[in-house]
Amino acid sequence: MDDSALIEARGLRKHFPMREGLLRRQTSWVRAVDGVDLCIRRGETVGLVGESGCGKTTVARCLLHLIRPTAGHVYYRMPGEVRRRMKELEHDLEGHEEAEKASGGHGPVAAEMASISERYSLEAMSARQLRVQRRNMQMVFQDPYASLNPRMLVKDLVGEPLLVHGMARGEDLDARVVELMEMVGLSADHMYRYPHEFSGGQRQRIGIARALSLRPELVVLDEPTSALDVSVQAQILNMLNELQSELHLTYLFISHDLSTVRYMSDRVHVMYLGKIVESATAAQLFEAPLHPYTRGLISSIPVPDPSRRRGKVPLAGEMPSPSDPPRGCRFHTRCKHRMPRCEIEEPPLIEVARDHFLACHLPNGTDDHGA
Ligand code: SF4
């Protein structure tokens, strides 16, 4: 199996300083993203789901390097054999931490890791290289009302990235804008209008046309339909699926709405308080969620058939502040299965055989289990 990654985050962290008082002194850190590993393969849709404020958008912004991560790496187009070697090296580094420290981080393991990072990580790119690289990675924002400049004609909004990157001008530019408009279900007649003349769904189509203008490989869809009516949501999601097949796009689909994540995604990562707590294929995650947080999220999806009942596992309480995350398992303040050790030890994310786990821990398919 080809396990090369289009984009991959390893140990990604983003901490924002919190400032208070007249002198704006830094008092603490908001740990918005706190050690996230995430891999997106070419052509797939990866869902990132969690409650508002869990760090999903910050992960996306770090992936695209719209903001610089505090720590960790983002690798682009890393071949499978290099990924495997990198994992071996990370494993070796854990075993030889003392020796590597003694050599001032210049031991053979650290040196090989640095040389791989140099070739594939976005952090190693110069500002110019990064600007060129950004053509390949675009973002569609949540709010189509706020993400388009109200003073610009649609023609200029969609054509601006092409002009800035010097990819088209004059008649070529106009022709490409018409092509993009038609691609998202609009027409040349819409080019000389302002964003306020469009409905919410049409504005999101304009945002998508703008994101596709540079022919990206990766598109981050950050809650692309959450500001829209349900019927319009379905149209936009179907259009995104069609565009993905036509243009061979790769998506990171961010949402707090699990129904849309299920519809769109091949694989799903569940995020809680800056960390990924469960990852699986969409089918596995929704049929057999393992983490109590995932089970709580899924049980809150409304069931359209009143004759069907879903075992409710309501999520109690609120998510703690990322400036002061709980010790041990971050979910322990809301978990009904917590044990004393959950308040001290942070459980690692490990790979499990899902069917075997369920057979051992959920004999009757009940919800009564821990993480
Ligand atoms: Fe966290 Fe413990 Fe609950 Fe598992 S059982 S989710 S480790 S608090």
Side-chain angles (χ1 to χ4, degrees), residues 10 50 93 109 121 124 196 199 203 214 232 241 245 313 328 335 352:
R10 304 284 299 164
L93 193 65
V109 176
S121 82
H196 73 266
S199 66
R203 281 187 228 199
L214 298 174
V232 182
N241 276 337
S245 330
V313 198
C335 182
V352 292

Side-chain angles (χ1 to χ4, degrees), residues 291-293 329-333 335-339 342 345 347 369-371:
H291 197 283
Y293 178 59
C329 170
R330 291 185 174 206
F331 188 59
H332 83 251
T333 53
C335 182
K336 66 175 183 174
H337 306 287
R338 75 172 167 269
M339 297 166 272
C342 302
E345 290 171 34
H369 79 298

